[in-house]
Amino acid sequence: MSKLLFWALDALVLRGPESRLAEGALAALDKLSVAGWRHVVVADEAAGADTLDRLGVADRVAWFFDGAPVAEAIGALRPFDEAFVIGSNLPRHILPAREEALPSILVGDASPLAQFCAEQASDVPDALATWTITRKNLLA
């Protein structure tokens, strides 16, 4: 079974003079990896091939799409059994997820267009756990 999480780079990184991994993001990636999810990072604005190394997550990410829209990454990796888009921008990440019929988590903002909203990347595992429980209850 292939379970993919399409992370927009902006949902994992704090911008500033020096971009750095958001607090709790590494723990979230690890926790979700243990739960069987594979990580895809999508930088819709070119970030550079060494980005994942600089952030210290290269060994946790299965695919990196640098300078590509979310929809392109989804199309390149179809078919998969289950997938989620995790993004920080409604038009660039969440709306393309809807167009691709994938559920989404909006990080750092709120919108009824996303299935879940999370304050930060560290909240994503809880949102996915809630999704799993809800799906099981609906299918039962």
Side-chain angles (χ1 to χ4, degrees):
M1 175 187 238
S2 60
K3 295 171 30 171
L4 302 179
L5 295 176
F6 292 88
W7 290 86
L9 183 62
D10 293 351
L12 289 170
V13 174
L14 295 175
R15 299 287 180 188
E18 297 261 340
S19 294
R20 62 182 172 86
L21 203 59
E23 187 175 331
L26 191 59
L29 291 171
D30 288 342
K31 183 175 186 177
L32 294 166
S33 292
V34 168
W37 292 96
R38 296 180 75 195
H39 304 289
V40 180
V41 174
V42 182
D44 43 17
E45 294 179 9
D50 66 336
T51 300
L52 299 180
D53 286 324
R54 280 186 287 120
L55 295 171
V57 297
D59 60 334
R60 290 164 175 86
V61 174
W63 295 275
F64 179 49
F65 288 82
D66 193 23
V70 169
E72 184 178 312
I74 293 167
L77 294 177
R78 282 195 190 271
F80 39 76
D81 296 319
E82 189 174 359
F84 247 91
V85 172
I86 304 161
S88 61
N89 185 286
L90 193 62
R92 289 192 341 247
H93 309 136
I94 305 308
L95 295 180
R98 290 176 64 91
E99 290 172 11
E100 295 290 332
L102 293 180
S104 60
I105 300 171
L106 180 60
V107 177
D109 202 354
S111 171
L113 296 175
Q115 276 67 31
F116 292 96
C117 299
E119 282 190 40
Q120 53 198 5
S122 60
D123 298 326
V124 169
D126 292 336
L128 286 171
T130 301
W131 172 259
T132 301
I133 291 167
T134 302
R135 268 188 56 202
K136 285 181 183 176
N137 289 337
L138 289 173
L139 296 175

